Amino acid sequence: MTSETLPPADLTNVRYSALLGLTEEGDPAQWARIRASQLHAGRQLALFLLGANLIAAAAMASLFASLVPLWMIGTWGAFVTVTSVGVTIRRLATPHRMEGSFATVQDLRTTLIDGCALAIMWSIPPLFFARTIGTDDAYAMWMILSVLMTAVAFAMAPLALASIAFVGGLGLSVCATLTIGGSYAAAGGTALFTALLILACLSRARSLVVMRASEMALAERNDTVSLLLREFEDNGADWLWETDASRRVVRASPRFAYACGLDPLTIEGKPFLQILAGPSWETGNFSNGLKLLADKLKGRDSFRDLRLPVSVDGEERWWELAASPRYDDTGSFTGFRGVGSDVTEQRASADKINRMARYDTLTGLPNRLMVNETLARAMADSEKWSGRCAFMMIDLDRFKAVNDTLGHPIGDRLLQRVAERLAQLMSNRAICGRLGGDEFAVVVLDASDYAVTEKLARDIIETVSRPYEIDAHTLHVGASVGLAVGPRDGRTAEMLIRSADLALYRAKDAGRGVYHAYEPALHVQAEERRVLEMALRKALENDEMHLNYQPVVDAETGILRGFEALLRWTSPQFGNVSPEKFIPLAEEARLIRPIGEWVLRTACDEAARWPAEIRVAVNVSAEQLGNPGFVNTVMSALANSGLPAQRLELEVTESVFMHKGLGATKVLDRILDLGVKLSLDDFGTGYSSLGYLSRTRFSSIKIDRSFVQGASKGVKEAIAIIRAVVALAQSLGMATTAEGVETESEHQMVKELGCTKVQGYYFGRPLPVGEARDLANRSWGISRASSAA
């Protein structure tokens, strides 16, 4: 049993003189902690005590408002408030932590001031104000004071000296008032009530002391047992260590000496910090963990889970230490005692987990988390040293085509090769990482030389764009780069990433394979885009959209064969918005499905009013074909409008077949089974392949206007492409439609090249619904007249 442990017999024989702080006895160190716990318990109810005094003062002032001059009540109330607040402040000044705190006898004795001050203030109403009140008011006053005495006895019970001073002093004042007034029975009852409250205070204070002493004894035993168990564990991972007041090792255990790689005899008496510092003790190159340990030992603070590197036989090991300061019977500091563990293996595992959390498993590059952390540090350093850093976002061009056509294994290997090339470009002032998918990023730690940063962006594009040889495939991808410089383009990491993202978006719009630096106008454009998207989301329900219809005629006869439905948007806020602007936005915002369904239904409803020989063509996006319910939508549009299926023609682009996951071919086959016609739009401008031409039953191929314009200018390649497409279509039994025909000469040219249908401004611009309907009816009449003739 240590000297700090209070024997069980003493727990039931606490002297009231010691309880009140009038005398010192027993173990001084333990009683110092017990007194600290008494003060701490009084601190916990300090605000309750303040509230009780203020509420009782308000009730008392209300009681005497009509009986005592207001200035007297006001003065008394002010004194009560000041005294109560002062007592509360004194109580709250007690340390808020009980563990490791000590208090002297004098600290406990000074609480007598609090009790006496409150007793004096509250003795004034019964001694001076009560002379002018009647029986009912006297009873009310007694009730207020008795409730207050009970509340204070409860709140200040741990501070027995203060509570006895208040309860006894106030009770004595009330008894004196009642005795002078001849109310002897009431005076006796008050004396008895006061005595009972005092006994309750003493009992509660004594219980607190006994309980605290028991807790300390139990904690002491638990510490000892815990340390002994650690010392003798079979795995040998933990050991005890102890120092004296000068921080030198004492009573060194063999396991501790073994962990240090030293002899137990030679380690005794050595400075504890010198042992842990090892060779760095002479150089002064101490680890942060050792510095923290030195501060804890110097400040005599308890600590746990403190990790630091230790050199053992030339090998770096990691230790975890925990310890508490020790004091003798007089409260004097005698040193530290604690436990240590070798956590080298656990740290290695934690480092491995940390690496997995911060590095991309596919490429080995830093992942999004580490890139963000690195950028945040770079921003902080730039702010601190008035420097500049930079952030680049890199997006691979045409990677999706590789992934979809050759599969994910090839795509993953391509990403690894790209990562290798990027890593080779990095210097000690820049790091690159993978954000996810085909997105990479570069953090330039020092971008003070902007020309060097721009050169790095150009080198990235040039290096990534070189061909890749993977499994007998020659792969070509490119890179688009968005560049932002901090803190100019963003004061925080998040803002800089946003700026680089906007710059990347502009680089893609510029045709890809380029880099674009951030400029403030990009934020304005992004905001405009956001506002435009919000307006687009309400365009359908606000009836802001309509269809125009462009004629499609027979190349030989010029007879109207149908119309292509073209979507137009007239916004109250933005006016006439170009389809080239809002269609891509609708696809990005995932609005193309409801808009596309509205177009389909509206076009079918209008075409049903046209003569039976005239078709309507509707453009369909890849996302619409990815909707499992799209076939049902087509069936519903036809059924509700009454339009025969053979008069509806759906136009799709080649990009539809690049989305393997959409199952576009199966969806189109189901639509064709309904009798709907299918046209391939813009053939030759994208991922031209003969495979899907043979697998899908197209009724016609549309030749893009760029080839028509080129052929009209005598471009041999354009002419050859048109001839090849026409020949291919004829061999597959398909019609060909030339788009963008604007002059008679262009009409004659595409007719001579073999195109069966033409479309363009030469035959008619996109027409409003009324004009298109009139044109359809006139053409039908002319056609019938020609047939009759």
Side-chain angles (χ1 to χ4, degrees), residues 279-287 291:
S280 66
W281 184 258
E282 301 295 334
T283 64
N285 186 23
F286 304 134
S287 66
K291 293 177 182 177

Side-chain angles (χ1 to χ4, degrees), residues 711-722:
S712 69
K713 296 175 182 178
V715 178
K716 294 181 180 180
E717 290 82 359
I719 296 172
I721 289 173
I722 294 177

Side-chain angles (χ1 to χ4, degrees), residues 353-400:
I353 294 172
N354 181 64
R355 178 175 177 81
M356 292 174 63
R358 285 172 168 74
Y359 285 84
D360 179 53
T361 55
L362 177 64
T363 63
L365 294 178
N367 61 11
R368 182 182 294 272
L369 173 62
M370 187 169 179
V371 167
N372 288 344
E373 291 176 345
T374 304
L375 179 59
R377 288 195 298 270
M379 292 289 290
D381 290 342
S382 298
E383 187 75 22
K384 180 178 180 181
W385 305 109
S386 299
R388 291 195 300 183
C389 64
F391 183 73
M392 300 183 196
M393 290 194 72
I394 306 167
D395 187 75
L396 299 185
D397 303 330
R398 300 183 298 279
F399 173 77
K400 184 171 178 55

Side-chain angles (χ1 to χ4, degrees), residues 671-747:
I671 292 174
L672 287 167
D673 290 340
L674 299 176
V676 175
K677 302 299 181 181
L678 194 61
S679 176
L680 180 60
D681 197 9
D682 298 338
F683 181 72
T685 61
Y687 311 97
S688 301
S689 171
L690 300 180
Y692 53 77
L693 280 176
S694 61
R695 291 193 302 269
T696 309
R697 294 165 286 164
F698 289 103
S699 59
S700 68
I701 300 176
K702 301 190 75 172
I703 300 173
D704 187 70
R705 66 186 305 272
S706 61
F707 298 124
V708 174
Q709 298 295 321
S712 69
K713 296 175 182 178
V715 178
K716 294 181 180 180
E717 290 82 359
I719 296 172
I721 289 173
I722 294 177
R723 283 177 175 162
V725 172
V726 169
L728 176 64
Q730 290 174 348
S731 66
L732 295 174
M734 301 177 186
T736 51
T737 303
E739 295 182 296
V741 176
E742 299 181 354
T743 64
E744 172 61 25
S745 61
E746 290 177 353
H747 174 215

